[in-house]
PDB file of all heavy atoms in Angstrom:
ATOM      1  N   GLY E 712     159.470  71.638-115.222  1.00  0.00           N
ATOM      2  CA  GLY E 712     159.465  72.624-114.175  1.00  0.00           C
ATOM      3  C   GLY E 712     158.552  73.767-114.538  1.00  0.00           C
ATOM      4  O   GLY E 712     158.258  73.989-115.714  1.00  0.00           O
ATOM      5  N   ALA E 725     148.522  72.869-107.791  1.00  0.00           N
ATOM      6  CA  ALA E 725     148.460  71.415-107.670  1.00  0.00           C
ATOM      7  C   ALA E 725     149.839  70.801-107.486  1.00  0.00           C
ATOM      8  O   ALA E 725     149.973  69.726-106.865  1.00  0.00           O
ATOM      9  CB  ALA E 725     147.752  70.809-108.882  1.00  0.00           C
ATOM     10  N   PRO E 729     155.127  77.774-105.588  1.00  0.00           N
ATOM     11  CA  PRO E 729     154.680  79.095-105.140  1.00  0.00           C
ATOM     12  C   PRO E 729     154.578  80.087-106.302  1.00  0.00           C
ATOM     13  O   PRO E 729     155.251  79.939-107.342  1.00  0.00           O
ATOM     14  CB  PRO E 729     155.783  79.539-104.159  1.00  0.00           C
ATOM     15  CG  PRO E 729     156.531  78.278-103.813  1.00  0.00           C
ATOM     16  CD  PRO E 729     156.436  77.409-105.008  1.00  0.00           C
ATOM     17  N   SER E 730     153.762  81.112-106.114  1.00  0.00           N
ATOM     18  CA  SER E 730     153.585  82.134-107.162  1.00  0.00           C
ATOM     19  C   SER E 730     154.756  83.114-107.180  1.00  0.00           C
ATOM     20  O   SER E 730     154.988  83.757-108.202  1.00  0.00           O
ATOM     21  CB  SER E 730     152.276  82.908-106.911  1.00  0.00           C
ATOM     22  OG  SER E 730     152.264  83.481-105.624  1.00  0.00           O
ATOM     23  N   ASP E 754     143.073  62.165-130.232  1.00  0.00           N
ATOM     24  CA  ASP E 754     144.044  61.147-130.645  1.00  0.00           C
ATOM     25  C   ASP E 754     145.356  61.235-129.881  1.00  0.00           C
ATOM     26  O   ASP E 754     145.924  60.211-129.507  1.00  0.00           O
ATOM     27  CB  ASP E 754     144.323  61.294-132.156  1.00  0.00           C
ATOM     28  CG  ASP E 754     143.123  60.909-132.999  1.00  0.00           C
ATOM     29  OD1 ASP E 754     142.322  60.068-132.525  1.00  0.00           O
ATOM     30  OD2 ASP E 754     142.976  61.473-134.084  1.00  0.00           O
ATOM     31  N   ASN E 760     146.043  69.479-115.599  1.00  0.00           N
ATOM     32  CA  ASN E 760     145.282  69.883-114.413  1.00  0.00           C
ATOM     33  C   ASN E 760     143.781  69.673-114.540  1.00  0.00           C
ATOM     34  O   ASN E 760     143.170  69.124-113.636  1.00  0.00           O
ATOM     35  CB  ASN E 760     145.558  71.357-114.105  1.00  0.00           C
ATOM     36  CG  ASN E 760     144.908  71.823-112.835  1.00  0.00           C
ATOM     37  OD1 ASN E 760     145.271  71.359-111.743  1.00  0.00           O
ATOM     38  ND2 ASN E 760     143.911  72.704-112.938  1.00  0.00           N
ATOM     39  N   GLY E 763     137.279  70.950-118.796  1.00  0.00           N
ATOM     40  CA  GLY E 763     135.914  71.320-118.415  1.00  0.00           C
ATOM     41  C   GLY E 763     135.067  71.662-119.628  1.00  0.00           C
ATOM     42  O   GLY E 763     135.552  72.140-120.636  1.00  0.00           O
ATOM     43  N   LEU E 780     141.637  93.661-116.196  1.00  0.00           N
ATOM     44  CA  LEU E 780     141.708  93.013-114.892  1.00  0.00           C
ATOM     45  C   LEU E 780     142.802  91.985-114.898  1.00  0.00           C
ATOM     46  O   LEU E 780     143.357  91.648-115.945  1.00  0.00           O
ATOM     47  CB  LEU E 780     140.373  92.336-114.566  1.00  0.00           C
ATOM     48  CG  LEU E 780     139.131  93.247-114.480  1.00  0.00           C
ATOM     49  CD1 LEU E 780     137.862  92.448-114.301  1.00  0.00           C
ATOM     50  CD2 LEU E 780     139.277  94.261-113.346  1.00  0.00           C
ATOM     51  N   SER E 781     143.125  91.459-113.714  1.00  0.00           N
ATOM     52  CA  SER E 781     144.161  90.433-113.615  1.00  0.00           C
ATOM     53  C   SER E 781     143.791  89.431-112.526  1.00  0.00           C
ATOM     54  O   SER E 781     142.938  89.715-111.670  1.00  0.00           O
ATOM     55  CB  SER E 781     145.544  91.049-113.311  1.00  0.00           C
ATOM     56  OG  SER E 781     145.502  91.729-112.075  1.00  0.00           O
ATOM     57  N   LEU E 791     130.168  86.459-114.879  1.00  0.00           N
ATOM     58  CA  LEU E 791     129.014  87.332-115.105  1.00  0.00           C
ATOM     59  C   LEU E 791     128.710  87.459-116.592  1.00  0.00           C
ATOM     60  O   LEU E 791     127.515  87.439-116.988  1.00  0.00           O
ATOM     61  CB  LEU E 791     129.287  88.708-114.499  1.00  0.00           C
ATOM     62  CG  LEU E 791     129.488  88.745-112.986  1.00  0.00           C
ATOM     63  CD1 LEU E 791     129.812  90.146-112.521  1.00  0.00           C
ATOM     64  CD2 LEU E 791     128.269  88.206-112.262  1.00  0.00           C
ATOM     65  N   LEU E 797     123.754  81.922-120.838  1.00  0.00           N
ATOM     66  CA  LEU E 797     123.757  80.611-120.175  1.00  0.00           C
ATOM     67  C   LEU E 797     123.068  79.532-121.009  1.00  0.00           C
ATOM     68  O   LEU E 797     121.938  79.693-121.492  1.00  0.00           O
ATOM     69  CB  LEU E 797     123.055  80.746-118.823  1.00  0.00           C
ATOM     70  CG  LEU E 797     123.029  79.499-117.944  1.00  0.00           C
ATOM     71  CD1 LEU E 797     124.429  79.115-117.523  1.00  0.00           C
ATOM     72  CD2 LEU E 797     122.159  79.747-116.726  1.00  0.00           C
ATOM     73  N   VAL E 806     130.797  57.025-117.297  1.00  0.00           N
ATOM     74  CA  VAL E 806     131.957  57.053-116.412  1.00  0.00           C
ATOM     75  C   VAL E 806     132.276  55.625-116.023  1.00  0.00           C
ATOM     76  O   VAL E 806     131.507  54.997-115.286  1.00  0.00           O
ATOM     77  CB  VAL E 806     131.712  57.923-115.169  1.00  0.00           C
ATOM     78  CG1 VAL E 806     132.941  57.962-114.271  1.00  0.00           C
ATOM     79  CG2 VAL E 806     131.292  59.340-115.570  1.00  0.00           C
ATOM     80  N   THR E 812     122.521  60.607-117.891  1.00  0.00           N
ATOM     81  CA  THR E 812     121.972  61.485-118.927  1.00  0.00           C
ATOM     82  C   THR E 812     121.290  62.689-118.287  1.00  0.00           C
ATOM     83  O   THR E 812     120.910  62.668-117.125  1.00  0.00           O
ATOM     84  CB  THR E 812     120.940  60.717-119.798  1.00  0.00           C
ATOM     85  OG1 THR E 812     119.837  60.282-118.964  1.00  0.00           O
ATOM     86  CG2 THR E 812     121.570  59.528-120.487  1.00  0.00           C
ATOM     87  N   THR E 833     136.957  70.380-108.001  1.00  0.00           N
ATOM     88  CA  THR E 833     137.251  68.987-107.633  1.00  0.00           C
ATOM     89  C   THR E 833     138.271  69.008-106.484  1.00  0.00           C
ATOM     90  O   THR E 833     139.432  68.669-106.665  1.00  0.00           O
ATOM     91  CB  THR E 833     137.793  68.193-108.834  1.00  0.00           C
ATOM     92  OG1 THR E 833     138.898  68.935-109.425  1.00  0.00           O
ATOM     93  CG2 THR E 833     136.723  68.005-109.888  1.00  0.00           C
ATOM     94  N   ASP E 839     148.294  62.008-108.689  1.00  0.00           N
ATOM     95  CA  ASP E 839     149.077  60.764-108.721  1.00  0.00           C
ATOM     96  C   ASP E 839     148.291  59.555-108.233  1.00  0.00           C
ATOM     97  O   ASP E 839     148.859  58.552-107.813  1.00  0.00           O
ATOM     98  CB  ASP E 839     150.365  60.913-107.886  1.00  0.00           C
ATOM     99  CG  ASP E 839     150.091  61.034-106.399  1.00  0.00           C
ATOM    100  OD1 ASP E 839     148.904  61.283-106.019  1.00  0.00           O
ATOM    101  OD2 ASP E 839     151.019  60.887-105.600  1.00  0.00           O
ATOM    102  N   LEU E 845     135.436  64.035-111.004  1.00  0.00           N
ATOM    103  CA  LEU E 845     134.441  64.742-111.786  1.00  0.00           C
ATOM    104  C   LEU E 845     133.490  65.507-110.911  1.00  0.00           C
ATOM    105  O   LEU E 845     133.053  65.008-109.852  1.00  0.00           O
ATOM    106  CB  LEU E 845     133.612  63.758-112.648  1.00  0.00           C
ATOM    107  CG  LEU E 845     134.275  63.147-113.849  1.00  0.00           C
ATOM    108  CD1 LEU E 845     135.077  61.921-113.462  1.00  0.00           C
ATOM    109  CD2 LEU E 845     133.232  62.771-114.901  1.00  0.00           C
ATOM    110  N   ILE E 864     134.317  78.210-104.343  1.00  0.00           N
ATOM    111  CA  ILE E 864     135.575  78.846-103.987  1.00  0.00           C
ATOM    112  C   ILE E 864     136.216  78.136-102.785  1.00  0.00           C
ATOM    113  O   ILE E 864     137.424  77.986-102.705  1.00  0.00           O
ATOM    114  CB  ILE E 864     135.355  80.348-103.693  1.00  0.00           C
ATOM    115  CG1 ILE E 864     134.860  81.061-104.966  1.00  0.00           C
ATOM    116  CG2 ILE E 864     136.647  81.000-103.194  1.00  0.00           C
ATOM    117  CD1 ILE E 864     134.478  82.506-104.771  1.00  0.00           C
ATOM    118  N   THR E 867     133.023  73.740-100.817  1.00  0.00           N
ATOM    119  CA  THR E 867     131.905  73.227-100.039  1.00  0.00           C
ATOM    120  C   THR E 867     130.669  72.958-100.907  1.00  0.00           C
ATOM    121  O   THR E 867     129.607  72.572-100.388  1.00  0.00           O
ATOM    122  CB  THR E 867     131.521  74.198 -98.899  1.00  0.00           C
ATOM    123  OG1 THR E 867     131.254  75.484 -99.459  1.00  0.00           O
ATOM    124  CG2 THR E 867     132.676  74.336 -97.925  1.00  0.00           C
ATOM    125  N   ALA E 871     126.030  70.293-102.218  1.00  0.00           N
ATOM    126  CA  ALA E 871     124.912  71.135-102.587  1.00  0.00           C
ATOM    127  C   ALA E 871     123.947  70.384-103.501  1.00  0.00           C
ATOM    128  O   ALA E 871     124.353  69.493-104.271  1.00  0.00           O
ATOM    129  CB  ALA E 871     125.397  72.411-103.274  1.00  0.00           C
ATOM    130  N   GLY E 879     136.620  58.389-111.882  1.00  0.00           N
ATOM    131  CA  GLY E 879     136.669  57.385-112.926  1.00  0.00           C
ATOM    132  C   GLY E 879     137.961  57.438-113.709  1.00  0.00           C
ATOM    133  O   GLY E 879     138.740  58.404-113.626  1.00  0.00           O
ATOM    134  N   SER E 886     126.760  64.556-127.158  1.00  0.00           N
ATOM    135  CA  SER E 886     125.660  65.508-127.169  1.00  0.00           C
ATOM    136  C   SER E 886     125.293  65.832-128.603  1.00  0.00           C
ATOM    137  O   SER E 886     126.153  66.163-129.411  1.00  0.00           O
ATOM    138  CB  SER E 886     126.028  66.797-126.435  1.00  0.00           C
ATOM    139  OG  SER E 886     125.027  67.778-126.584  1.00  0.00           O
ATOM    140  N   LEU E 906     133.375  63.196-127.029  1.00  0.00           N
ATOM    141  CA  LEU E 906     134.677  63.386-126.379  1.00  0.00           C
ATOM    142  C   LEU E 906     134.969  62.164-125.528  1.00  0.00           C
ATOM    143  O   LEU E 906     134.095  61.687-124.774  1.00  0.00           O
ATOM    144  CB  LEU E 906     134.630  64.640-125.512  1.00  0.00           C
ATOM    145  CG  LEU E 906     135.927  65.079-124.847  1.00  0.00           C
ATOM    146  CD1 LEU E 906     137.014  65.372-125.853  1.00  0.00           C
ATOM    147  CD2 LEU E 906     135.686  66.295-123.957  1.00  0.00           C
ATOM    148  N   ALA E 921     156.087  71.555-101.696  1.00  0.00           N
ATOM    149  CA  ALA E 921     155.238  71.044-100.624  1.00  0.00           C
ATOM    150  C   ALA E 921     154.018  71.933-100.479  1.00  0.00           C
ATOM    151  O   ALA E 921     154.115  73.133-100.219  1.00  0.00           O
ATOM    152  CB  ALA E 921     156.012  71.019 -99.303  1.00  0.00           C
ATOM    153  N   SER E 922     152.836  71.336-100.672  1.00  0.00           N
ATOM    154  CA  SER E 922     151.591  72.099-100.631  1.00  0.00           C
ATOM    155  C   SER E 922     150.429  71.104-100.499  1.00  0.00           C
ATOM    156  O   SER E 922     150.529  69.964-100.937  1.00  0.00           O
ATOM    157  CB  SER E 922     151.422  72.899-101.929  1.00  0.00           C
ATOM    158  OG  SER E 922     150.075  73.316-102.115  1.00  0.00           O
TER     159      SER E 922
END
Side-chain angles (χ1 to χ4, degrees):
S730 57
D754 291 331
N760 185 67
L780 299 174
S781 62
L791 298 177
L797 184 65
V806 181
T812 61
T833 52
D839 68 346
L845 286 84
I864 297 174
T867 56
S886 173
L906 185 60
S922 163

